[in-house]
């Protein structure tokens, strides 16, 4: 498995106060990870988010309009994440416009209520997917969106562009640097050159988060930079009947293990769910590599998976 390493924890447990608001946003533990990307095709998930720039209580909800004691959020490409709620925990939605004390989000968050707690974070984007040594021309990246659609991007190197940095371009050869990679969302990276390493800076998730699913299958990771999370801990929210395929990280995408979630009672194992590996073994406690993206096929109607927080202050 590819092994990410957190080289530096820069800040943890502090409180960042906005000068334009009495609201405070506790900063997550932050640092950076490196992810090996061998030549060939790899499934990758980024195990970090960007740091919170606001956290506070919802004061009003009207469809996609949310009111709270928002500070001046600026013009970054951002999303809201519901951190405490009876009916919308972990839900995320992209901010499409900002008003005085309000944001417009898409999609509207079903179940969000006054008094729920949410945070605001900038999106990780394709501009954050950088490598050392630099990707070669023709390296491609494919994202499967929450609607199940496929979006493809191609890398152009700095030397080819005559610019300080290379960039990802869409199918129309337009700059795609601002395209968002949702938290926990996996992608297919086809490295057209020698083995390289992705270097990603961000924050460790301190709240559970809902990764939306769509289409016949989805690609998702654990959103956890630790190697110590088990299959059941990470994906226990998935319904019975779900299948999960783990692929090799050598550039060949060989299937190394397959899981199916069963009703434990059917197997004579009491209540709850059991992750059966390769049709015979109990895989509940199998460890999931931090930056691997898994291929997940769920029963019809499954809208996503609630991933647990990677870190809490109680730990």
């Amino acid at each position: 498995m590819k092994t990410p390493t957190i080289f530096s924890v820069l800040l943890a447990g502090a409180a960042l106060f906005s000068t334009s608001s009495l609201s405070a946003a506790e900063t997550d533990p932050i640092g950076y990870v490196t992810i090996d990307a061998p030549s060939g095709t790899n499934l990758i998930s980024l195990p970090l988010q960007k740091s919170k720039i606001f956290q506070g209580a919802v004061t009003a909800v009207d469809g996609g309009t949310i009111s709270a004691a928002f500070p001046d959020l600026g013009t970054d490409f951002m999303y809201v994440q519901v951190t405490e709620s009876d009916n919308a925990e972990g839900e995320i939605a992209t901010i499409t416009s900002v008003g005085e004390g309000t944001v417009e989000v898409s999609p509207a968050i079903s179940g969000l209520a006054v008094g729920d707690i949410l945070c605001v974070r900038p999106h990780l984007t394709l501009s954050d997917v950088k490598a050392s040594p630099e990707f070669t021309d023709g390296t491609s990246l494919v994202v499967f969106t929450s609607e199940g659609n496929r979006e493809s991007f191609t890398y152009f190197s700095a030397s080819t562009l005559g610019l300080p940095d290379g960039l990802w371009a869409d199918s129309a050869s337009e700059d795609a640097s601002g395209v968002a990679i949702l938290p926990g969302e996996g992608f297919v990276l086809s490295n057209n050159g020698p083995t390289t390493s992705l270097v990603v800076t961000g924050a460790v998730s301190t709240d559970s988060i809902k990764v939306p699913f769509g289409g016949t299958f989805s690609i998702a990771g654990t959103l956890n930079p630790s190697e110590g999370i088990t299959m059941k801990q990470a994906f226990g929210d998935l319904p019975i009947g779900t299948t999960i395929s783990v692929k090799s990280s050598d550039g060949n995408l060989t299937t190394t293990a397959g899981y199916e979630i069963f009703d434990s009672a059917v197997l004579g194992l009491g209540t709850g769910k059991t992750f059966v590996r390769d049709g015979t073994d109990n895989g509940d406690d199998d460890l999931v590599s931090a930056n691997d993206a898994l291929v997940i096929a769920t029963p019809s109607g499954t809208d996503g998976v609630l991933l647990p927080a990677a870190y809490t202050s109680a730990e």
Side-chain angles (χ1 to χ4, degrees):
M1 293 289 185
K2 299 181 292 294
T3 303
T5 303
I6 299 183
F7 288 103
S8 176
V9 176
L10 306 176
L11 179 65
L16 177 65
F17 290 87
S18 166
T19 57
S20 60
S21 171
L22 295 179
S23 299
E26 284 193 9
T27 58
D28 301 331
I30 63 175
Y32 59 93
V33 300
T34 59
I35 303 170
D36 290 340
S39 179
T41 305
N42 304 272
L43 296 185
I44 291 175
S45 179
L46 307 182
L48 300 174
Q49 299 174 271
K50 289 193 174 179
S51 296
K52 298 172 185 174
I53 58 176
F54 168 81
Q55 180 163 299
V58 174
T59 57
V61 184
D62 182 10
T65 303
I66 302 171
S67 300
F70 296 115
D72 181 359
L73 295 174
T75 59
D76 282 347
F77 190 24
M78 299 168 288
Y79 62 97
V80 299
Q81 174 183 345
V82 183
T83 59
E84 297 179 32
S85 172
D86 289 337
N87 300 304
E89 180 184 1
E91 295 285 354
I92 61 173
T94 292
I95 295 175
T96 56
S97 65
V98 176
E100 186 174 349
T102 66
V103 295
E104 295 282 341
V105 301
S106 179
I109 300 175
S110 176
L112 186 67
V114 171
D116 288 353
I117 307 298
L118 56 72
C119 69
V120 175
R121 298 178 186 268
H123 275 295
L124 280 170
T125 66
L126 290 184
S127 65
D128 297 300
V129 183
K130 300 178 180 179
S132 180
E134 185 185 13
F135 292 124
T136 58
D137 290 321
T139 290
S140 66
L141 185 151
V142 179
V143 175
F144 291 84
T145 70
S146 58
E147 291 80 25
N149 300 321
R150 168 178 159 164
E151 295 181 341
S152 300
F153 307 93
T154 302
Y155 191 80
F156 291 87
S157 66
S159 60
T160 294
L161 297 173
L163 297 173
D165 297 297
L167 58 79
W168 295 97
D170 61 19
S171 57
S173 297
E174 297 291 334
D175 183 0
S177 300
V179 172
I181 298 175
L182 298 180
E185 185 176 60
F187 54 85
V188 182
L189 178 71
S190 296
N191 180 9
N192 199 41
T195 294
T196 186
S197 294
L198 281 69
V199 182
V200 182
T201 301
V204 177
S205 174
T206 55
D207 305 286
S208 57
I209 191 162
K210 185 74 169 287
V211 178
F213 282 176
T216 56
F217 69 91
S218 297
I219 301 176
T222 65
L223 199 62
N224 190 327
S226 168
E227 295 293 312
I229 189 168
T230 68
M231 186 67 67
K232 192 167 186 177
Q233 288 171 333
F235 298 110
D237 180 59
L238 288 169
I240 291 167
T242 296
T243 60
I244 301 173
S245 180
V246 181
K247 302 295 185 179
S248 65
S249 54
D250 58 3
N252 296 315
L253 288 191
T254 304
T255 299
T256 60
Y259 297 82
E260 184 172 356
I261 303 177
F262 284 85
D263 184 338
S264 298
V266 172
L267 302 176
L269 298 175
T271 60
K273 304 171 188 175
T274 298
F275 286 68
V276 176
R277 181 195 338 109
D278 298 331
T280 58
D281 301 319
N282 188 327
D284 287 354
D285 297 328
D286 290 0
L287 297 181
V288 184
S289 184
N291 53 282
D292 277 354
L294 311 180
V295 180
I296 300 174
T298 57
S300 177
T302 305
D303 61 355
V305 58
L306 186 67
L307 297 176
Y311 169 87
T312 66
S313 58
E315 293 179 344

